[in-house]
Amino acid sequence: MNDHTDDKASRDNTAPATRDTETIPPPPSAVGEVFGDRADLAIRYVDFLATAGLERGLMGPRERPRLWDRHVLNSAAAKSHIFDGESVVDIGSGAGLPGIPLSLARPDLEITLVEPLLRRVNFLEEIIESLGIDVRVVRGRAEEKTVITEVGNADVVTSRAVAPLAKLAGWSAPLLRIGGRMVALKGSSATEEVDRDSAALSRLGFTDVHVEIVSAPDAEETRLVIATLGSRMGGRGSRSRGSGKRRG
């Protein structure tokens, strides 16, 4: 699985450094609006990314000033297209984006982070334990049978800057229930990717493929590629269909 460009780990030291206002970006006023009574946890999460995350190579140095607007608030904006109480699998989670911001903004969601590299998994588990949030981490690649067995039948599979859309859809489809949705955070080329890969998504059983632009206050816009799994390829190339429960 291809990885996030700036969001992967390296080293085995744990606790974040003491908060240093010169190196950690100050929380914008929107933090309380987006995260509510979990705003303090979101601030601690950014502290992790700006200190231990930078030291271990999960975040590039140039990303430190943009952690809030480009990464954390940007990720949390996807919450507007996830229904109450849904199970969400974040594939190629890296530094926990978008899964951890979604969990902080929407504690009703059942979040699982899927990440193949051990040191990144350790980092995620440290953050989750420190923040005291109910998020599961599964080590592996989304396409592995063991991961599909463990986290499959999800309502939503999400990701952020993991791979080209067709490949990402191929990893997402086996993890979704029929009627579940891929909600992929993409860059400015989202519409072009949908146009380019629409036939591949259709072959995988995805329908209603479209782009939504969402935003959180004090954050960059987020482009979501949303697609519903209407059917999946069954044995011998046949289509299998289902009527998975729809929420909303």
Side-chain angles (χ1 to χ4, degrees), residues 117-178:
L117 295 189
L118 178 59
R119 280 184 264 186
R120 298 172 195 166
V121 168
N122 290 341
F123 184 83
L124 292 171
E125 289 176 341
E126 291 161 17
I127 292 175
I128 290 165
E129 182 178 2
S130 176
L131 298 181
I133 55 178
D134 186 14
V135 174
R136 181 168 61 138
V137 182
V138 172
R139 184 186 177 195
R141 300 180 184 276
E143 65 270 32
E144 293 174 357
K145 290 182 179 180
T146 54
V147 173
I148 294 169
T149 298
E150 187 166 358
V151 305
N153 206 36
D155 296 311
V156 173
V157 172
T158 190
S159 58
R160 183 173 182 268
V162 170
L165 185 59
K167 183 174 287 188
L168 183 62
W171 293 334
S172 299
L175 299 176
L176 286 167
R177 64 173 175 84
I178 299 297

Side-chain angles (χ1 to χ4, degrees), residues 191-204:
T191 300
E192 288 80 0
E193 286 198 63
V194 168
D195 292 342
R196 182 193 68 206
D197 295 338
S198 60
L201 268 66
S202 179
R203 287 194 296 271
L204 289 164

Side-chain angles (χ1 to χ4, degrees), residues 2 22 26 34 41 63 67 85 87 100 117-118 134 136 150 158 172 178 196 213 224 227 244 248:
N2 290 348
E22 294 185 0
V34 173
L41 297 181
E63 298 306 306
L67 285 172
S87 58
I100 289 179
L117 295 189
L118 178 59
D134 186 14
R136 181 168 61 138
E150 187 166 358
T158 190
S172 299
I178 299 297
R196 182 193 68 206
I213 299 177
L224 306 178

